[in-house]
Amino acid sequence: MSATAQQSAPRPADIRAMKGGTPIVSLTAYTTPMARMMDAHCDFVLVGDSVGMVLHGMPSTLGVTMEMMIMHGQAVARGLNRAMLVIDMPFGSYEEEPRQAMCSAARIMRETGAAAVKLEGGVHMADTIRFLSARGVPVMAHIGLTPQAINTLGGYKVQGRGAGAKKLIEDARAVADAGAFAVVLEKLPAGLADQITADIAIPTIGIGASPGCDGQVLVVDDMLGLFSDFTPKFVKRYAQLGTDGKAAIAAYAAEVRARKFPAAGHVFADEAPNPEKARNA
Ligand code: KIV
């Protein structure tokens, strides 16, 4: 991410100002080539801690470290010219108290150039969001299904059904009042997502929420169909790269075994061509 490009990228205040307007577009990215592919199309790109599950094969996001977030954050930053960069704060890096969160957020922003961090939690994280926002750290909040709390939530279930709706409305109000510039709503009933979107003054970014949210985010590997096994209900596959990739690898393996690859056009002659002749050829 060049200095010039950073100046032209939207800032958290610009994303905040998109409330109620054209929907905000976002995807996760973990590598430079993916970031390059989405840069022209996304308002912000999120280096999610889903990187642990998606790229590193971890069973949950709980094992993700600061070092991983920073390394992937730097890789994504190199691929962005236009979209804003947001980076997830990993489990254990911010929950103890606001000062711990400040140290972690400052390190992430300093070492990656990210414009903002994202953290999970509602009412119980409001003091931390207020502390960070007052000290120059723009915070995107994340409520509903918060994967870092998977062990206390009891699984990747829809949140906010029935009596749970009241708690999510309180969470949304708390993070907005504390100064978050946007809030991710993950896996909650569409009607509740619409209610929260109408109720708070900051943009809601839905994932498994509602088309009525102020924006949408998806895990890029999910929407590209890179996984051929489980696809969550809230994901639409816009491509089938997993199936195509498997077929390509099988074709390669078969051609290697049949000595069809490499073919004549993929190998080098014993003698380097005479540069004079090559020029005249
Ligand atoms: O880690 C992640 O990828 C996320 C998004 C799915 C919102 O938090």
PDB file of all heavy atoms in Angstrom, residues 62-102:
ATOM      1  N   LEU A  62      -9.366 -19.515  17.536  1.00  0.00           N
ATOM      2  CA  LEU A  62      -8.745 -19.264  18.847  1.00  0.00           C
ATOM      3  C   LEU A  62      -7.216 -19.363  18.841  1.00  0.00           C
ATOM      4  O   LEU A  62      -6.553 -18.762  19.689  1.00  0.00           O
ATOM      5  CB  LEU A  62      -9.321 -20.226  19.894  1.00  0.00           C
ATOM      6  CG  LEU A  62     -10.843 -20.097  20.113  1.00  0.00           C
ATOM      7  CD1 LEU A  62     -11.326 -21.053  21.187  1.00  0.00           C
ATOM      8  CD2 LEU A  62     -11.217 -18.678  20.472  1.00  0.00           C
ATOM      9  N   GLY A  63      -6.658 -20.098  17.900  1.00  0.00           N
ATOM     10  CA  GLY A  63      -5.198 -20.276  17.878  1.00  0.00           C
ATOM     11  C   GLY A  63      -4.463 -19.199  17.096  1.00  0.00           C
ATOM     12  O   GLY A  63      -3.235 -19.234  16.989  1.00  0.00           O
ATOM     13  N   VAL A  64      -5.204 -18.241  16.558  1.00  0.00           N
ATOM     14  CA  VAL A  64      -4.569 -17.209  15.717  1.00  0.00           C
ATOM     15  C   VAL A  64      -3.787 -16.221  16.601  1.00  0.00           C
ATOM     16  O   VAL A  64      -4.259 -15.804  17.656  1.00  0.00           O
ATOM     17  CB  VAL A  64      -5.652 -16.475  14.889  1.00  0.00           C
ATOM     18  CG1 VAL A  64      -5.059 -15.305  14.123  1.00  0.00           C
ATOM     19  CG2 VAL A  64      -6.321 -17.462  13.937  1.00  0.00           C
ATOM     20  N   THR A  65      -2.578 -15.866  16.155  1.00  0.00           N
ATOM     21  CA  THR A  65      -1.706 -15.003  16.957  1.00  0.00           C
ATOM     22  C   THR A  65      -1.570 -13.608  16.329  1.00  0.00           C
ATOM     23  O   THR A  65      -1.911 -13.401  15.153  1.00  0.00           O
ATOM     24  CB  THR A  65      -0.286 -15.612  17.027  1.00  0.00           C
ATOM     25  OG1 THR A  65       0.225 -15.667  15.687  1.00  0.00           O
ATOM     26  CG2 THR A  65      -0.299 -17.005  17.625  1.00  0.00           C
ATOM     27  N   MET A  66      -1.030 -12.693  17.114  1.00  0.00           N
ATOM     28  CA  MET A  66      -0.727 -11.346  16.611  1.00  0.00           C
ATOM     29  C   MET A  66       0.221 -11.441  15.415  1.00  0.00           C
ATOM     30  O   MET A  66       0.075 -10.716  14.435  1.00  0.00           O
ATOM     31  CB  MET A  66      -0.063 -10.507  17.708  1.00  0.00           C
ATOM     32  CG  MET A  66      -1.016  -9.941  18.716  1.00  0.00           C
ATOM     33  SD  MET A  66      -1.970  -8.561  18.030  1.00  0.00           S
ATOM     34  CE  MET A  66      -0.763  -7.254  18.169  1.00  0.00           C
ATOM     35  N   GLU A  67       1.210 -12.327  15.531  1.00  0.00           N
ATOM     36  CA  GLU A  67       2.202 -12.432  14.460  1.00  0.00           C
ATOM     37  C   GLU A  67       1.529 -12.853  13.140  1.00  0.00           C
ATOM     38  O   GLU A  67       1.867 -12.339  12.072  1.00  0.00           O
ATOM     39  CB  GLU A  67       3.300 -13.446  14.837  1.00  0.00           C
ATOM     40  CG  GLU A  67       4.296 -12.941  15.880  1.00  0.00           C
ATOM     41  CD  GLU A  67       3.663 -12.674  17.260  1.00  0.00           C
ATOM     42  OE1 GLU A  67       2.702 -13.393  17.643  1.00  0.00           O
ATOM     43  OE2 GLU A  67       4.119 -11.736  17.944  1.00  0.00           O
ATOM     44  N   MET A  68       0.574 -13.779  13.244  1.00  0.00           N
ATOM     45  CA  MET A  68      -0.137 -14.200  12.025  1.00  0.00           C
ATOM     46  C   MET A  68      -0.925 -13.042  11.438  1.00  0.00           C
ATOM     47  O   MET A  68      -0.918 -12.803  10.224  1.00  0.00           O
ATOM     48  CB  MET A  68      -1.101 -15.366  12.341  1.00  0.00           C
ATOM     49  CG  MET A  68      -0.406 -16.674  12.614  1.00  0.00           C
ATOM     50  SD  MET A  68      -1.541 -17.891  13.336  1.00  0.00           S
ATOM     51  CE  MET A  68      -2.558 -18.286  11.938  1.00  0.00           C
ATOM     52  N   MET A  69      -1.633 -12.297  12.295  1.00  0.00           N
ATOM     53  CA  MET A  69      -2.459 -11.188  11.791  1.00  0.00           C
ATOM     54  C   MET A  69      -1.576 -10.125  11.146  1.00  0.00           C
ATOM     55  O   MET A  69      -1.940  -9.548  10.122  1.00  0.00           O
ATOM     56  CB  MET A  69      -3.290 -10.561  12.923  1.00  0.00           C
ATOM     57  CG  MET A  69      -4.339 -11.482  13.524  1.00  0.00           C
ATOM     58  SD  MET A  69      -5.392 -12.341  12.328  1.00  0.00           S
ATOM     59  CE  MET A  69      -6.175 -11.004  11.473  1.00  0.00           C
ATOM     60  N   ILE A  70      -0.418  -9.889  11.749  1.00  0.00           N
ATOM     61  CA  ILE A  70       0.469  -8.856  11.201  1.00  0.00           C
ATOM     62  C   ILE A  70       1.080  -9.322   9.874  1.00  0.00           C
ATOM     63  O   ILE A  70       1.118  -8.575   8.899  1.00  0.00           O
ATOM     64  CB  ILE A  70       1.525  -8.448  12.247  1.00  0.00           C
ATOM     65  CG1 ILE A  70       0.838  -7.599  13.320  1.00  0.00           C
ATOM     66  CG2 ILE A  70       2.693  -7.694  11.606  1.00  0.00           C
ATOM     67  CD1 ILE A  70       1.640  -7.326  14.547  1.00  0.00           C
ATOM     68  N   MET A  71       1.500 -10.582   9.827  1.00  0.00           N
ATOM     69  CA  MET A  71       2.100 -11.069   8.582  1.00  0.00           C
ATOM     70  C   MET A  71       1.080 -11.043   7.432  1.00  0.00           C
ATOM     71  O   MET A  71       1.372 -10.548   6.338  1.00  0.00           O
ATOM     72  CB  MET A  71       2.632 -12.487   8.763  1.00  0.00           C
ATOM     73  CG  MET A  71       3.433 -12.960   7.570  1.00  0.00           C
ATOM     74  SD  MET A  71       3.906 -14.675   7.701  1.00  0.00           S
ATOM     75  CE  MET A  71       2.336 -15.471   7.516  1.00  0.00           C
ATOM     76  N   HIS A  72      -0.129 -11.530   7.687  1.00  0.00           N
ATOM     77  CA  HIS A  72      -1.150 -11.511   6.627  1.00  0.00           C
ATOM     78  C   HIS A  72      -1.612 -10.079   6.352  1.00  0.00           C
ATOM     79  O   HIS A  72      -1.935  -9.739   5.206  1.00  0.00           O
ATOM     80  CB  HIS A  72      -2.319 -12.422   6.998  1.00  0.00           C
ATOM     81  CG  HIS A  72      -1.965 -13.883   6.897  1.00  0.00           C
ATOM     82  ND1 HIS A  72      -1.827 -14.535   5.697  1.00  0.00           N
ATOM     83  CD2 HIS A  72      -1.663 -14.801   7.855  1.00  0.00           C
ATOM     84  CE1 HIS A  72      -1.479 -15.799   5.912  1.00  0.00           C
ATOM     85  NE2 HIS A  72      -1.372 -15.989   7.215  1.00  0.00           N
ATOM     86  N   GLY A  73      -1.639  -9.250   7.394  1.00  0.00           N
ATOM     87  CA  GLY A  73      -2.009  -7.847   7.203  1.00  0.00           C
ATOM     88  C   GLY A  73      -1.028  -7.141   6.285  1.00  0.00           C
ATOM     89  O   GLY A  73      -1.415  -6.384   5.381  1.00  0.00           O
ATOM     90  N   GLN A  74       0.257  -7.405   6.463  1.00  0.00           N
ATOM     91  CA  GLN A  74       1.281  -6.783   5.603  1.00  0.00           C
ATOM     92  C   GLN A  74       1.140  -7.285   4.167  1.00  0.00           C
ATOM     93  O   GLN A  74       1.278  -6.518   3.211  1.00  0.00           O
ATOM     94  CB  GLN A  74       2.679  -7.096   6.144  1.00  0.00           C
ATOM     95  CG  GLN A  74       2.977  -6.370   7.446  1.00  0.00           C
ATOM     96  CD  GLN A  74       4.245  -6.852   8.139  1.00  0.00           C
ATOM     97  OE1 GLN A  74       4.729  -7.951   7.869  1.00  0.00           O
ATOM     98  NE2 GLN A  74       4.765  -6.036   9.039  1.00  0.00           N
ATOM     99  N   ALA A  75       0.845  -8.574   4.024  1.00  0.00           N
ATOM    100  CA  ALA A  75       0.689  -9.136   2.672  1.00  0.00           C
ATOM    101  C   ALA A  75      -0.494  -8.474   1.964  1.00  0.00           C
ATOM    102  O   ALA A  75      -0.399  -8.074   0.796  1.00  0.00           O
ATOM    103  CB  ALA A  75       0.475 -10.648   2.751  1.00  0.00           C
ATOM    104  N   VAL A  76      -1.606  -8.325   2.667  1.00  0.00           N
ATOM    105  CA  VAL A  76      -2.794  -7.715   2.052  1.00  0.00           C
ATOM    106  C   VAL A  76      -2.532  -6.238   1.752  1.00  0.00           C
ATOM    107  O   VAL A  76      -2.895  -5.738   0.683  1.00  0.00           O
ATOM    108  CB  VAL A  76      -4.030  -7.912   2.960  1.00  0.00           C
ATOM    109  CG1 VAL A  76      -5.214  -7.071   2.488  1.00  0.00           C
ATOM    110  CG2 VAL A  76      -4.410  -9.391   2.989  1.00  0.00           C
ATOM    111  N   ALA A  77      -1.861  -5.555   2.650  1.00  0.00           N
ATOM    112  CA  ALA A  77      -1.565  -4.134   2.430  1.00  0.00           C
ATOM    113  C   ALA A  77      -0.808  -3.934   1.121  1.00  0.00           C
ATOM    114  O   ALA A  77      -1.050  -2.973   0.391  1.00  0.00           O
ATOM    115  CB  ALA A  77      -0.759  -3.581   3.606  1.00  0.00           C
ATOM    116  N   ARG A  78       0.088  -4.881   0.790  1.00  0.00           N
ATOM    117  CA  ARG A  78       0.869  -4.745  -0.456  1.00  0.00           C
ATOM    118  C   ARG A  78      -0.018  -4.851  -1.692  1.00  0.00           C
ATOM    119  O   ARG A  78       0.374  -4.413  -2.776  1.00  0.00           O
ATOM    120  CB  ARG A  78       1.941  -5.846  -0.530  1.00  0.00           C
ATOM    121  CG  ARG A  78       3.095  -5.584   0.406  1.00  0.00           C
ATOM    122  CD  ARG A  78       4.178  -6.677   0.300  1.00  0.00           C
ATOM    123  NE  ARG A  78       4.837  -6.781   1.577  1.00  0.00           N
ATOM    124  CZ  ARG A  78       4.794  -7.820   2.397  1.00  0.00           C
ATOM    125  NH1 ARG A  78       4.159  -8.923   2.035  1.00  0.00           N
ATOM    126  NH2 ARG A  78       5.385  -7.785   3.559  1.00  0.00           N
ATOM    127  N   GLY A  79      -1.209  -5.425  -1.542  1.00  0.00           N
ATOM    128  CA  GLY A  79      -2.093  -5.588  -2.703  1.00  0.00           C
ATOM    129  C   GLY A  79      -3.166  -4.525  -2.812  1.00  0.00           C
ATOM    130  O   GLY A  79      -3.974  -4.566  -3.729  1.00  0.00           O
ATOM    131  N   LEU A  80      -3.212  -3.598  -1.871  1.00  0.00           N
ATOM    132  CA  LEU A  80      -4.296  -2.594  -1.886  1.00  0.00           C
ATOM    133  C   LEU A  80      -3.791  -1.222  -2.304  1.00  0.00           C
ATOM    134  O   LEU A  80      -2.772  -0.751  -1.801  1.00  0.00           O
ATOM    135  CB  LEU A  80      -4.942  -2.488  -0.497  1.00  0.00           C
ATOM    136  CG  LEU A  80      -5.637  -3.731   0.055  1.00  0.00           C
ATOM    137  CD1 LEU A  80      -6.305  -3.407   1.391  1.00  0.00           C
ATOM    138  CD2 LEU A  80      -6.660  -4.297  -0.926  1.00  0.00           C
ATOM    139  N   ASN A  81      -4.540  -0.605  -3.206  1.00  0.00           N
ATOM    140  CA  ASN A  81      -4.266   0.785  -3.580  1.00  0.00           C
ATOM    141  C   ASN A  81      -5.448   1.660  -3.238  1.00  0.00           C
ATOM    142  O   ASN A  81      -5.315   2.857  -3.045  1.00  0.00           O
ATOM    143  CB  ASN A  81      -4.046   0.898  -5.100  1.00  0.00           C
ATOM    144  CG  ASN A  81      -2.641   0.512  -5.463  1.00  0.00           C
ATOM    145  OD1 ASN A  81      -1.703   0.899  -4.783  1.00  0.00           O
ATOM    146  ND2 ASN A  81      -2.505  -0.266  -6.521  1.00  0.00           N
ATOM    147  N   ARG A  82      -6.635   1.072  -3.229  1.00  0.00           N
ATOM    148  CA  ARG A  82      -7.855   1.853  -3.240  1.00  0.00           C
ATOM    149  C   ARG A  82      -8.770   1.541  -2.047  1.00  0.00           C
ATOM    150  O   ARG A  82      -9.437   2.423  -1.525  1.00  0.00           O
ATOM    151  CB  ARG A  82      -8.582   1.491  -4.553  1.00  0.00           C
ATOM    152  CG  ARG A  82      -9.575   2.454  -5.024  1.00  0.00           C
ATOM    153  CD  ARG A  82     -10.573   1.794  -5.976  1.00  0.00           C
ATOM    154  NE  ARG A  82     -11.918   2.234  -5.611  1.00  0.00           N
ATOM    155  CZ  ARG A  82     -12.696   1.589  -4.773  1.00  0.00           C
ATOM    156  NH1 ARG A  82     -12.315   0.443  -4.240  1.00  0.00           N
ATOM    157  NH2 ARG A  82     -13.877   2.066  -4.460  1.00  0.00           N
ATOM    158  N   ALA A  83      -8.818   0.285  -1.648  1.00  0.00           N
ATOM    159  CA  ALA A  83      -9.740  -0.111  -0.580  1.00  0.00           C
ATOM    160  C   ALA A  83      -9.096   0.100   0.787  1.00  0.00           C
ATOM    161  O   ALA A  83      -7.871   0.013   0.924  1.00  0.00           O
ATOM    162  CB  ALA A  83     -10.121  -1.581  -0.748  1.00  0.00           C
ATOM    163  N   MET A  84      -9.934   0.365   1.784  1.00  0.00           N
ATOM    164  CA  MET A  84      -9.427   0.551   3.153  1.00  0.00           C
ATOM    165  C   MET A  84      -9.100  -0.825   3.764  1.00  0.00           C
ATOM    166  O   MET A  84      -9.806  -1.799   3.532  1.00  0.00           O
ATOM    167  CB  MET A  84     -10.500   1.263   3.982  1.00  0.00           C
ATOM    168  CG  MET A  84     -10.037   1.656   5.361  1.00  0.00           C
ATOM    169  SD  MET A  84     -11.314   2.563   6.255  1.00  0.00           S
ATOM    170  CE  MET A  84     -12.191   1.219   7.037  1.00  0.00           C
ATOM    171  N   LEU A  85      -8.048  -0.838   4.566  1.00  0.00           N
ATOM    172  CA  LEU A  85      -7.617  -2.094   5.212  1.00  0.00           C
ATOM    173  C   LEU A  85      -8.053  -2.112   6.681  1.00  0.00           C
ATOM    174  O   LEU A  85      -7.761  -1.188   7.446  1.00  0.00           O
ATOM    175  CB  LEU A  85      -6.097  -2.202   5.112  1.00  0.00           C
ATOM    176  CG  LEU A  85      -5.419  -3.363   5.839  1.00  0.00           C
ATOM    177  CD1 LEU A  85      -5.908  -4.713   5.307  1.00  0.00           C
ATOM    178  CD2 LEU A  85      -3.894  -3.276   5.690  1.00  0.00           C
ATOM    179  N   VAL A  86      -8.756  -3.171   7.055  1.00  0.00           N
ATOM    180  CA  VAL A  86      -9.167  -3.395   8.449  1.00  0.00           C
ATOM    181  C   VAL A  86      -8.596  -4.743   8.881  1.00  0.00           C
ATOM    182  O   VAL A  86      -8.640  -5.711   8.107  1.00  0.00           O
ATOM    183  CB  VAL A  86     -10.712  -3.427   8.585  1.00  0.00           C
ATOM    184  CG1 VAL A  86     -11.129  -3.627  10.039  1.00  0.00           C
ATOM    185  CG2 VAL A  86     -11.342  -2.158   8.025  1.00  0.00           C
ATOM    186  N   ILE A  87      -8.073  -4.808  10.099  1.00  0.00           N
ATOM    187  CA  ILE A  87      -7.468  -6.066  10.559  1.00  0.00           C
ATOM    188  C   ILE A  87      -8.098  -6.506  11.879  1.00  0.00           C
ATOM    189  O   ILE A  87      -8.293  -5.696  12.797  1.00  0.00           O
ATOM    190  CB  ILE A  87      -5.936  -5.901  10.712  1.00  0.00           C
ATOM    191  CG1 ILE A  87      -5.349  -5.513   9.343  1.00  0.00           C
ATOM    192  CG2 ILE A  87      -5.290  -7.160  11.256  1.00  0.00           C
ATOM    193  CD1 ILE A  87      -3.858  -5.554   9.238  1.00  0.00           C
ATOM    194  N   ASP A  88      -8.416  -7.787  11.952  1.00  0.00           N
ATOM    195  CA  ASP A  88      -8.989  -8.370  13.170  1.00  0.00           C
ATOM    196  C   ASP A  88      -7.962  -8.408  14.298  1.00  0.00           C
ATOM    197  O   ASP A  88      -6.799  -8.757  14.068  1.00  0.00           O
ATOM    198  CB  ASP A  88      -9.405  -9.820  12.898  1.00  0.00           C
ATOM    199  CG  ASP A  88     -10.899  -9.975  12.760  1.00  0.00           C
ATOM    200  OD1 ASP A  88     -11.653  -9.046  13.113  1.00  0.00           O
ATOM    201  OD2 ASP A  88     -11.317 -11.056  12.288  1.00  0.00           O
ATOM    202  N   MET A  89      -8.423  -8.116  15.499  1.00  0.00           N
ATOM    203  CA  MET A  89      -7.575  -8.327  16.677  1.00  0.00           C
ATOM    204  C   MET A  89      -7.780  -9.780  17.116  1.00  0.00           C
ATOM    205  O   MET A  89      -8.913 -10.216  17.317  1.00  0.00           O
ATOM    206  CB  MET A  89      -7.970  -7.352  17.785  1.00  0.00           C
ATOM    207  CG  MET A  89      -7.781  -5.913  17.328  1.00  0.00           C
ATOM    208  SD  MET A  89      -8.006  -4.723  18.650  1.00  0.00           S
ATOM    209  CE  MET A  89      -6.535  -5.015  19.604  1.00  0.00           C
ATOM    210  N   PRO A  90      -6.684 -10.542  17.253  1.00  0.00           N
ATOM    211  CA  PRO A  90      -6.859 -11.960  17.574  1.00  0.00           C
ATOM    212  C   PRO A  90      -7.261 -12.193  19.032  1.00  0.00           C
ATOM    213  O   PRO A  90      -7.031 -11.341  19.893  1.00  0.00           O
ATOM    214  CB  PRO A  90      -5.481 -12.556  17.273  1.00  0.00           C
ATOM    215  CG  PRO A  90      -4.524 -11.438  17.419  1.00  0.00           C
ATOM    216  CD  PRO A  90      -5.264 -10.173  17.057  1.00  0.00           C
ATOM    217  N   PHE A  91      -7.826 -13.356  19.261  1.00  0.00           N
ATOM    218  CA  PHE A  91      -8.261 -13.785  20.597  1.00  0.00           C
ATOM    219  C   PHE A  91      -7.113 -13.631  21.596  1.00  0.00           C
ATOM    220  O   PHE A  91      -5.988 -14.054  21.332  1.00  0.00           O
ATOM    221  CB  PHE A  91      -8.690 -15.254  20.517  1.00  0.00           C
ATOM    222  CG  PHE A  91      -9.187 -15.840  21.810  1.00  0.00           C
ATOM    223  CD1 PHE A  91     -10.302 -15.323  22.451  1.00  0.00           C
ATOM    224  CD2 PHE A  91      -8.534 -16.929  22.379  1.00  0.00           C
ATOM    225  CE1 PHE A  91     -10.761 -15.870  23.636  1.00  0.00           C
ATOM    226  CE2 PHE A  91      -8.990 -17.491  23.564  1.00  0.00           C
ATOM    227  CZ  PHE A  91     -10.104 -16.956  24.197  1.00  0.00           C
ATOM    228  N   GLY A  92      -7.417 -13.003  22.737  1.00  0.00           N
ATOM    229  CA  GLY A  92      -6.415 -12.855  23.797  1.00  0.00           C
ATOM    230  C   GLY A  92      -5.586 -11.595  23.685  1.00  0.00           C
ATOM    231  O   GLY A  92      -4.792 -11.300  24.571  1.00  0.00           O
ATOM    232  N   SER A  93      -5.770 -10.808  22.616  1.00  0.00           N
ATOM    233  CA  SER A  93      -4.914  -9.626  22.420  1.00  0.00           C
ATOM    234  C   SER A  93      -5.581  -8.342  22.898  1.00  0.00           C
ATOM    235  O   SER A  93      -4.955  -7.282  22.851  1.00  0.00           O
ATOM    236  CB  SER A  93      -4.525  -9.485  20.953  1.00  0.00           C
ATOM    237  OG  SER A  93      -5.633  -9.068  20.175  1.00  0.00           O
ATOM    238  N   TYR A  94      -6.850  -8.412  23.366  1.00  0.00           N
ATOM    239  CA  TYR A  94      -7.540  -7.160  23.693  1.00  0.00           C
ATOM    240  C   TYR A  94      -8.572  -7.252  24.819  1.00  0.00           C
ATOM    241  O   TYR A  94      -9.084  -6.238  25.284  1.00  0.00           O
ATOM    242  CB  TYR A  94      -8.235  -6.624  22.437  1.00  0.00           C
ATOM    243  CG  TYR A  94      -9.336  -7.526  21.887  1.00  0.00           C
ATOM    244  CD1 TYR A  94     -10.677  -7.328  22.221  1.00  0.00           C
ATOM    245  CD2 TYR A  94      -9.035  -8.573  21.015  1.00  0.00           C
ATOM    246  CE1 TYR A  94     -11.688  -8.139  21.704  1.00  0.00           C
ATOM    247  CE2 TYR A  94     -10.027  -9.390  20.505  1.00  0.00           C
ATOM    248  CZ  TYR A  94     -11.349  -9.166  20.844  1.00  0.00           C
ATOM    249  OH  TYR A  94     -12.341  -9.975  20.345  1.00  0.00           O
ATOM    250  N   GLU A  95      -8.915  -8.451  25.274  1.00  0.00           N
ATOM    251  CA  GLU A  95     -10.073  -8.600  26.157  1.00  0.00           C
ATOM    252  C   GLU A  95      -9.808  -8.231  27.611  1.00  0.00           C
ATOM    253  O   GLU A  95     -10.741  -7.911  28.352  1.00  0.00           O
ATOM    254  CB  GLU A  95     -10.582 -10.055  26.115  1.00  0.00           C
ATOM    255  CG  GLU A  95     -11.002 -10.554  24.741  1.00  0.00           C
ATOM    256  CD  GLU A  95      -9.848 -11.166  23.952  1.00  0.00           C
ATOM    257  OE1 GLU A  95      -8.687 -10.783  24.183  1.00  0.00           O
ATOM    258  OE2 GLU A  95     -10.116 -12.020  23.096  1.00  0.00           O
ATOM    259  N   GLU A  96      -8.532  -8.289  28.044  1.00  0.00           N
ATOM    260  CA  GLU A  96      -8.233  -8.091  29.472  1.00  0.00           C
ATOM    261  C   GLU A  96      -8.625  -6.721  29.975  1.00  0.00           C
ATOM    262  O   GLU A  96      -9.314  -6.569  30.970  1.00  0.00           O
ATOM    263  CB  GLU A  96      -6.732  -8.270  29.714  1.00  0.00           C
ATOM    264  CG  GLU A  96      -6.342  -9.669  30.080  1.00  0.00           C
ATOM    265  CD  GLU A  96      -4.834  -9.814  30.130  1.00  0.00           C
ATOM    266  OE1 GLU A  96      -4.189  -9.042  30.873  1.00  0.00           O
ATOM    267  OE2 GLU A  96      -4.316 -10.686  29.423  1.00  0.00           O
ATOM    268  N   GLU A  97      -8.142  -5.701  29.268  1.00  0.00           N
ATOM    269  CA  GLU A  97      -8.453  -4.321  29.670  1.00  0.00           C
ATOM    270  C   GLU A  97      -8.054  -3.379  28.532  1.00  0.00           C
ATOM    271  O   GLU A  97      -7.298  -3.748  27.639  1.00  0.00           O
ATOM    272  CB  GLU A  97      -7.730  -3.966  30.980  1.00  0.00           C
ATOM    273  CG  GLU A  97      -6.275  -4.341  31.019  1.00  0.00           C
ATOM    274  CD  GLU A  97      -5.396  -3.125  31.195  1.00  0.00           C
ATOM    275  OE1 GLU A  97      -5.928  -2.066  31.532  1.00  0.00           O
ATOM    276  OE2 GLU A  97      -4.181  -3.251  30.955  1.00  0.00           O
ATOM    277  N   PRO A  98      -8.592  -2.143  28.538  1.00  0.00           N
ATOM    278  CA  PRO A  98      -8.381  -1.238  27.413  1.00  0.00           C
ATOM    279  C   PRO A  98      -6.911  -0.992  27.067  1.00  0.00           C
ATOM    280  O   PRO A  98      -6.553  -0.863  25.893  1.00  0.00           O
ATOM    281  CB  PRO A  98      -9.066   0.053  27.871  1.00  0.00           C
ATOM    282  CG  PRO A  98     -10.159  -0.421  28.777  1.00  0.00           C
ATOM    283  CD  PRO A  98      -9.576  -1.598  29.506  1.00  0.00           C
ATOM    284  N   ARG A  99      -6.020  -0.937  28.087  1.00  0.00           N
ATOM    285  CA  ARG A  99      -4.606  -0.666  27.763  1.00  0.00           C
ATOM    286  C   ARG A  99      -3.982  -1.793  26.949  1.00  0.00           C
ATOM    287  O   ARG A  99      -3.165  -1.568  26.061  1.00  0.00           O
ATOM    288  CB  ARG A  99      -3.795  -0.483  29.051  1.00  0.00           C
ATOM    289  CG  ARG A  99      -3.971   0.867  29.655  1.00  0.00           C
ATOM    290  CD  ARG A  99      -3.479   0.865  31.091  1.00  0.00           C
ATOM    291  NE  ARG A  99      -3.994   2.026  31.762  1.00  0.00           N
ATOM    292  CZ  ARG A  99      -3.377   3.193  31.841  1.00  0.00           C
ATOM    293  NH1 ARG A  99      -2.188   3.328  31.315  1.00  0.00           N
ATOM    294  NH2 ARG A  99      -3.932   4.210  32.434  1.00  0.00           N
ATOM    295  N   GLN A 100      -4.358  -3.020  27.298  1.00  0.00           N
ATOM    296  CA  GLN A 100      -3.853  -4.158  26.529  1.00  0.00           C
ATOM    297  C   GLN A 100      -4.331  -4.040  25.070  1.00  0.00           C
ATOM    298  O   GLN A 100      -3.563  -4.252  24.129  1.00  0.00           O
ATOM    299  CB  GLN A 100      -4.375  -5.475  27.136  1.00  0.00           C
ATOM    300  CG  GLN A 100      -3.881  -6.716  26.403  1.00  0.00           C
ATOM    301  CD  GLN A 100      -4.866  -7.882  26.428  1.00  0.00           C
ATOM    302  OE1 GLN A 100      -6.064  -7.688  26.659  1.00  0.00           O
ATOM    303  NE2 GLN A 100      -4.359  -9.076  26.197  1.00  0.00           N
ATOM    304  N   ALA A 101      -5.612  -3.675  24.916  1.00  0.00           N
ATOM    305  CA  ALA A 101      -6.170  -3.515  23.566  1.00  0.00           C
ATOM    306  C   ALA A 101      -5.445  -2.410  22.811  1.00  0.00           C
ATOM    307  O   ALA A 101      -5.163  -2.540  21.608  1.00  0.00           O
ATOM    308  CB  ALA A 101      -7.662  -3.206  23.658  1.00  0.00           C
ATOM    309  N   MET A 102      -5.117  -1.328  23.509  1.00  0.00           N
ATOM    310  CA  MET A 102      -4.434  -0.194  22.867  1.00  0.00           C
ATOM    311  C   MET A 102      -3.057  -0.628  22.352  1.00  0.00           C
ATOM    312  O   MET A 102      -2.685  -0.301  21.220  1.00  0.00           O
ATOM    313  CB  MET A 102      -4.303   0.960  23.873  1.00  0.00           C
ATOM    314  CG  MET A 102      -3.684   2.203  23.298  1.00  0.00           C
ATOM    315  SD  MET A 102      -4.757   2.980  22.053  1.00  0.00           S
ATOM    316  CE  MET A 102      -3.518   3.734  21.012  1.00  0.00           C
TER     317      MET A 102
END
